[in-house]
Amino acid sequence: KNQVEQSPQSLIILEGKNCTLQCNYTVSPFSNLRWYKQDTGRGPVSLTIMTFSENTKSNGRYTATLDADTKQSSLHITASQLSDSASYICVVSARAGKSTFGDGTTLTVKP
Amino acid sequence: EAGVTQFPSHSVIEKGQTVTLRCDPISGHDNLYWYRRVMGKEIKFLLHFVKESKQDESGMPNNRFLAERTGGTYSTLKVQPAELEDSGVYFCASSQELARNTIYFGEGSWLTVV
């Protein structure tokens, strides 16, 4: 069964600090991995997308890594801002196009 | 460019009633997806259209749910009759092609069945 597990479930950090969110998956055959940011009451917004051959992808202060051998990904947020407070969702897609979502990590950035 | 739009944004209906959710994908996107997030759980796949054809509807929970995409443009998701456990957020998303393209999500239709 395809699964995506994210950790931690929730995280509280101070403004300006860095943090790293984890995503482990068992989706096969693997096509791509996406990180989304979902603000409360809004739809998910794409941050990064990585295919099998890509190890790292950056989008501003967001940097995602992918280790296809160990089936792990991380999302690193640098110099956090209050607006980074949101749910971060890891989504892994199989080649048939079906996507499996993680439960998300709820990040709270405090001043 | 307009994003994926969904209507209604919020809906409260009684058990047994019917609700129809609408999704307008980004213009030119052949792929349209429906997902839902029920209380406290992860977002789950419902089905996938390629143009007007149902590519994969394995995530549809039961026959009370009917999705259509006539003409390959907008899509509707009808729940009839609605049950309490249908409450949640229904997301629509669209993309141009499957593999490398970003899937763009709508803001979601928040359904509450009372």
Side-chain angles (χ1 to χ4, degrees), chain A:
Chain A
K1 178 184 176 184
N2 290 337
Q3 287 187 312
V4 176
E5 295 183 353
Q6 291 187 243
S7 62
Q9 186 175 30
S10 62
L11 182 63
I12 300 174
I13 61 174
L14 292 177
E15 185 179 12
K17 297 295 185 182
N18 304 335
C19 67
T20 300
L21 315 179
Q22 299 291 340
C23 173
N24 297 340
Y25 63 92
T26 60
V27 174
S28 180
F30 176 84
S31 176
N32 61 69
L33 185 146
R34 301 172 165 94
W35 281 95
Y36 284 87
K37 177 187 178 188
Q38 185 176 15
D39 292 308
T40 303
R42 307 295 298 275
V45 174
S46 179
L47 295 176
T48 64
I49 176 172
M50 290 184 293
T51 56
F52 185 87
S53 60
E54 295 175 299
N55 301 119
T56 185
K57 182 74 70 75
S58 291
N59 178 2
R61 294 179 296 102
Y62 300 100
T63 300
T65 65
L66 173 65
D67 186 334
D69 292 329
T70 61
K71 299 186 176 181
Q72 296 180 325
S73 175
S74 66
L75 180 68
H76 186 75
I77 304 175
T78 304
S80 62
Q81 300 176 358
L82 299 179
S83 59
D84 293 332
S85 295
S87 177
Y88 291 83
I89 303 171
C90 176
V91 183
V92 184
S93 297
R95 290 203 198 115
K98 187 181 296 185
S99 297
T100 303
F101 287 70
D103 284 349
T105 292
T106 300
L107 174 65
T108 303
V109 181
K110 293 194 169 183

Side-chain angles (χ1 to χ4, degrees), chain A residues 31-32 34 36 38 41-44 46 49-51 54 57 87 89 93 95-99 101-104, chain B residues 33 35 37 41-45 48 55-56 58-59 91 98-108 110:
Chain A
S31 176
N32 61 69
R34 301 172 165 94
Y36 284 87
Q38 185 176 15
R42 307 295 298 275
S46 179
I49 176 172
M50 290 184 293
T51 56
E54 295 175 299
K57 182 74 70 75
S87 177
I89 303 171
S93 297
R95 290 203 198 115
K98 187 181 296 185
S99 297
F101 287 70
D103 284 349
Chain B
Y33 313 83
Y35 301 89
R37 183 174 216 163
K41 297 190 176 181
E42 73 274 20
I43 298 174
K44 285 195 173 178
F45 168 85
H48 170 206
Q55 180 77 7
D56 182 350
S58 60
F91 289 105
L98 278 182
R100 268 228 36 104
N101 287 86
T102 298
I103 297 177
Y104 296 89
F105 281 80
E107 298 293 345
W110 300 69

